[in-house]
């Protein structure tokens, strides 16, 4: 009986481990995001949509991973990267609050332009001089590049910030002269212009922001993960695959 009990005990212990490491099962990583339509956003059912979602799935498949997306407001997303409840974020590097807790990939998935829009009857602004004591529309929940945030809150410029919740309402505010300028990203503005039937607006590019894989250091093999994703993206690009996102 004793040898039989030993065999059964060994099977009991090894069974779950064998099931967890079944060959050919892709490892799932939790990918955080906040709504940035049309590149990435949650649809009416709460499911992730957009070309950036598709690109992440393609790169993950190439590198042997599987993505599970989780939508969060920006502040909670940054906190989740710090504590490890989110494994990675396809987002903008250079945020000081994430520097100590994340690794940033080398491959650029997209370039997002941050523009200062103005009405056609307004002369092109000289930044930052033209913004002094003028009204600038910004979108609630967006955390801009640090140098841009510093400019917006410079007491010497005394910029009047007008906040709104959507790109469409921001464009309407600019059109109806509620403020002098609109600070917004090119991709969602282009989509909102089409939806509203408005002509393209003149603008000055403030910053071009790269989108890269940003991995939480709480992931035990964070360096290996970021290297695998970068390598997969580079292989796909070298093979001539179209990896561009629409503007």
């Amino acid at each position: 009986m004793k040898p039989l009990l030993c065999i059964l005990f060994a099977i009991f212990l090894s069974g779950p481990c064998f099931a967890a490491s079944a060959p050919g099962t892709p490892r799932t990583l939790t990918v955080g995001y906040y709504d940035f339509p049309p590149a990435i956003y949650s649809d009416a059912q709460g499911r992730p949509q957009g070309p950036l979602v598709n690109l992440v799935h393609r790169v993950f498949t190439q590198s042997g991973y599987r993505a599970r997306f989780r939508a969060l407001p920006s502040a909670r997303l940054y906190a989740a990267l710090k504590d490890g409840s989110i494994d990675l974020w396809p987002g903008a590097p250079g945020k000081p609050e994430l520097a100590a807790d994340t690794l940033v990939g080398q491959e650029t998935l997209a370039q997002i332009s941050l523009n200062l829009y103005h009405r056609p009857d307004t002369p092109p602004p000289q930044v930052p001089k033209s913004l002094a004591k003028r009204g600038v529309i910004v979108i609630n929940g967006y955390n801009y590049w640090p140098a841009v945030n510093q400019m917006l809150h410079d007491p010497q410029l005394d910029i009047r910030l007008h906040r709104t919740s959507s790109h469409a309402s921001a464009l309407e505010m600019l059109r109806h002269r509620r403020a002098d300028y609109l600070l917004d990203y090119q991709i969602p503005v282009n989509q909102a212009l089409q939806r509203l039937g408005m002509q393209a607006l003149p603008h000055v590019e403030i910053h071009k922001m790269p989108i890269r894989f940003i991995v939480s250091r709480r992931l035990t093999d964070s360096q290996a993960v970021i290297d695998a994703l970068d390598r997969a993206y580079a292989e796909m690009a070298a093979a001539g695959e179209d990896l561009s996102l629409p503007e």
Side-chain angles (χ1 to χ4, degrees), residues 116-117 119 128-139 144 148-164 173-174 177-183:
L116 187 69
Y117 294 89
R119 292 182 297 274
K129 183 172 67 174
S130 298
L131 305 185
K133 302 185 183 304
R134 307 298 288 272
V136 176
I137 303 163
V138 295
I139 309 297
Y144 300 105
V148 174
N149 288 327
Q150 183 178 359
M151 177 186 71
L152 292 175
H153 297 95
D154 186 343
Q156 294 185 347
L157 291 174
D158 191 24
I159 296 172
R160 301 190 305 273
L161 296 179
H162 300 261
R163 301 184 181 276
T164 187
M173 288 172 68
L174 184 64
R177 301 179 182 275
R178 295 277 303 278
D180 304 290
Y181 304 105
L182 165 62
L183 183 68

Side-chain angles (χ1 to χ4, degrees), residues 39-129:
I40 186 169
Y41 62 96
S42 299
D43 63 16
Q45 288 73 42
R47 295 172 300 203
Q49 301 290 348
L52 185 54
V53 174
N54 297 332
L55 179 58
V56 169
H57 278 307
R58 290 169 60 194
V59 176
F60 269 48
T61 299
Q62 177 75 12
S63 56
Y65 297 116
R66 180 169 53 195
R68 176 177 56 232
F69 285 86
R70 182 181 171 194
L72 291 169
S74 57
R76 288 180 58 195
L77 173 61
Y78 302 157
L81 283 167
K82 291 179 181 181
D83 67 26
S85 53
I86 291 292
D87 294 320
L88 64 92
W89 169 47
K95 298 191 182 300
E97 62 268 45
L98 294 179
D101 298 287
T102 58
L103 295 174
V104 179
Q106 297 298 313
E107 296 294 335
T108 297
L109 310 180
Q111 293 273 3
I112 309 293
S113 293
L114 177 64
N115 298 330
L116 187 69
Y117 294 89
H118 59 97
R119 292 182 297 274
D121 61 350
T122 303
Q126 297 181 16
V127 181
K129 183 172 67 174

